Amino acid sequence: MSAAKLCFSKQGFHSTSMKHICQTCNLSPGTLYHHFPSKETLIQAIIFEAQKRALVRLNGPLNGISIIDYLIESTQSLADEDSDERALVVEIMAEGMRNPQVAEMLKKKYMIIAASIIERFNDAQENNEMKKTVNKEIAARLLMALAYGIMSDSQSQEYVRHEDYPATLRSILVGIL
Amino acid sequence: MSAAKLCFSKQGFHSTSMKHICQTCNLSPGTLYHHFPSKETLIQAIIFEAQKRALVRLNGPLNGISIIDYLIESTQSLADEDSDERALVVEIMAEGMRNPQVAEMLKKKYMIIAASIIERFNDAQENNEMKKTVNKEIAARLLMALAYGIMSDSQSQEYVRHEDYPATLRSILVGIL
C-alpha cells in the first residue's frame, strides 16, 4: 500500500505500473497480485483508507459539543493533514471523473460519509440544534463539497487558522441548522 | 494547448513529455518550445483558461439579481461543465500540493477569483443584501472551497439539480449575508 501510494504520488496513476510498485516495495509480482490483482484494487484500498480517516472524525456522537463546533474543528483538522495524502485523495477525485470504475468507488465512499454526517444531523435535531425542514442529504453533500474544497486547496491552512474563520464558518452553518 | 490538455488528461502530467505533446499536435519541438518553454508554462496557460471561465461567471455586476440566486446558478453551472475539463482542473489542484511552482500559480488564481467574489459582496452590501460585519476574504474563500468541492465530485450533478438544492444552498448562504 505505501509503495503504491508513493508511486501514484510521484508519477500519477497512468505512468505507474504494477511492476514499478513491485520494485518499490521489493515484492515479487506473484505476492503483489495475490493481494491486489489490479491497479484499481489498489485505488480501492486507498479510498477505503481515506474513508476510514473521514469516519473517525464523523462517527463519534456529539457528546455535548455543538454540531457547529464539531464541524469547525473537523474542517480545520482537514487542512492540517499531510499534503501528499491530500494530493492523492484529490488525484483520485480527478481520476473518478474519467474512469467509471473509480467513479463507482467514490460514489460508495460519499454515500457512507454522507450517512455519518446525517447521523450527526439526527443527533443535532434531537438536541433541538437543527430545524426539521432541511433536506439532510443535500446539506450533507454540500458540507462534504466544502470539506473537499478545503482539503484540495494548498493554501487552505492560511485561512482556516485565521481568527475570523470560526465565526465565518459558523455563520454559514447557522443557515442550515 | 488542446494537445497538452489531451495528453495531461489521458496520461497525467508526470508521464506526458514535451515530445508526446509535439507528436499529438504535429508541431516541431522548436515551434512548441517557442510558445511554451516547459510543461509548467503549459500548466500556467491551462490555469489562466480555467480562471477566465470562472471570471466570466463572476465578473458581471449583479444587475438586479440577488447575490443568492447568482451563486445558486453559478454552482449549478459548474456541475454541468465538461468532465474532462473539470478533471484537469482537479488534477492541477493535486499537483499544486506537491509542486511549489504550481502552488504559486494556483495561489495567484485564487486571489484573483476571490477579489471578484468580494466585488460581488460589495455590490450586495450596497444593495443592503449583506451585513457589514462578515470577513469578506474568508467568506469568499469558503464559497470557492464549496465551488471546487462541487466541481471535483463526479456525482454533483445529481444533487445540484435536485428540487431542494436551491433552498438548501440558500439556507447556507443566508448565514453569511
Side-chain angles (χ1 to χ4, degrees):
Chain A
M1 275 282 288
S2 13
K5 281 159 75 175
L6 192 71
C7 292
F8 290 152
S9 299
K10 279 205 176 153
Q11 304 151 209
F13 294 120
H14 301 270
S15 43
T16 299
S17 65
M18 293 294 269
K19 206 174 130 195
H20 277 132
I21 299 172
C22 288
Q23 287 166 347
T24 307
C25 59
N26 274 320
L27 277 182
S28 72
T31 310
L32 179 61
Y33 278 94
H34 175 72
H35 294 287
F36 298 104
S38 66
K39 270 206 280 187
E40 272 73 17
T41 54
L42 275 160
I43 295 179
Q44 178 67 77
I46 294 170
I47 289 176
F48 280 146
E49 224 189 55
Q51 177 180 309
K52 231 170 112 181
R53 282 204 307 277
L55 292 180
V56 164
R57 240 181 261 118
L58 289 164
N59 264 350
L62 295 182
N63 278 339
I65 307 170
S66 84
I67 191 164
I68 291 187
D69 290 329
Y70 189 84
L71 290 166
I72 289 170
E73 196 280 327
S74 299
T75 52
Q76 283 180 324
S77 69
L78 269 178
D80 290 334
E81 278 192 357
D82 178 72
S83 66
D84 281 338
E85 292 278 352
R86 283 164 64 190
L88 201 53
V89 171
V90 178
E91 199 158 293
I92 290 174
M93 289 160 79
E95 186 69 11
M97 265 171 249
R98 291 185 288 243
N99 178 335
Q101 220 182 324
V102 174
E104 199 47 46
M105 296 173 193
L106 287 176
K107 189 174 184 167
K108 285 191 188 129
K109 173 189 170 189
Y110 294 154
M111 280 174 62
I112 288 169
I113 295 178
S116 265
I117 296 175
I118 291 168
E119 276 182 47
R120 301 290 75 76
F121 284 164
N122 290 336
D123 296 347
Q125 285 183 333
E126 273 179 38
N127 300 342
N128 293 316
E129 280 192 273
M130 186 169 180
K131 11 179 209 273
K132 310 276 180 191
T133 49
V134 71
N135 180 320
K136 287 183 278 192
E137 281 74 20
I138 296 179
R141 292 307 289 256
L142 285 174
L143 285 185
M144 286 166 66
L146 185 68
Y148 284 109
I150 289 172
M151 196 175 62
S152 59
D153 175 358
S154 56
Q155 265 83 50
S156 54
Q157 265 182 317
E158 291 172 20
Y159 64 84
V160 301
R161 293 294 173 198
H162 189 284
E163 55 171 354
D164 288 345
Y165 175 78
T168 313
L169 183 59
R170 187 179 298 273
S171 64
I172 287 182
L173 297 174
V174 150
I176 53 165
L177 298 181
Chain B
M1 274 284 286
S2 12
K5 282 159 74 176
L6 192 70
C7 293
F8 290 151
S9 302
K10 279 205 177 152
Q11 304 150 211
F13 294 120
H14 301 271
S15 44
T16 299
S17 65
M18 292 294 269
K19 206 175 131 194
H20 278 132
I21 299 172
C22 288
Q23 285 165 347
T24 307
C25 59
N26 275 321
L27 276 183
S28 71
T31 310
L32 180 61
Y33 279 93
H34 175 73
H35 294 287
F36 299 104
S38 66
K39 270 207 277 187
E40 272 74 17
T41 54
L42 275 160
I43 295 179
Q44 178 68 76
I46 294 171
I47 290 176
F48 280 146
E49 223 189 55
Q51 178 181 308
K52 230 169 114 180
R53 282 204 306 276
L55 291 180
V56 165
R57 241 181 259 117
L58 290 164
N59 265 350
L62 295 181
N63 278 339
I65 307 170
S66 84
I67 192 164
I68 290 187
D69 291 327
Y70 190 82
L71 291 166
I72 290 171
E73 196 280 326
S74 299
T75 52
Q76 284 180 325
S77 69
L78 268 179
D80 290 334
E81 277 192 357
D82 178 73
S83 65
D84 281 338
E85 292 278 352
R86 283 162 64 188
L88 201 54
V89 171
V90 178
E91 200 158 292
I92 291 174
M93 289 160 80
E95 186 69 12
M97 266 173 249
R98 292 185 288 243
N99 179 334
Q101 218 181 326
V102 175
E104 199 48 46
M105 296 172 194
L106 287 176
K107 190 174 183 167
K108 285 192 189 129
K109 173 190 169 188
Y110 294 154
M111 279 173 62
I112 289 169
I113 295 178
S116 264
I117 296 176
I118 291 168
E119 275 182 50
R120 299 290 76 77
F121 285 164
N122 289 336
D123 296 346
Q125 286 183 333
E126 272 179 38
N127 298 343
N128 292 317
E129 279 191 275
M130 186 170 181
K131 7 179 213 274
K132 309 276 179 192
T133 49
V134 71
N135 181 319
K136 286 182 278 191
E137 281 74 19
I138 296 180
R141 291 308 288 255
L142 285 174
L143 285 185
M144 285 165 67
L146 185 68
Y148 284 110
I150 290 172
M151 197 175 60
S152 59
D153 175 358
S154 55
Q155 265 83 50
S156 54
Q157 265 183 317
E158 292 172 20
Y159 65 84
V160 301
R161 292 295 172 195
H162 189 286
E163 55 172 355
D164 288 347
Y165 174 79
T168 313
L169 184 59
R170 186 179 299 273
S171 64
I172 288 181
L173 296 174
V174 149
I176 53 167
L177 297 183

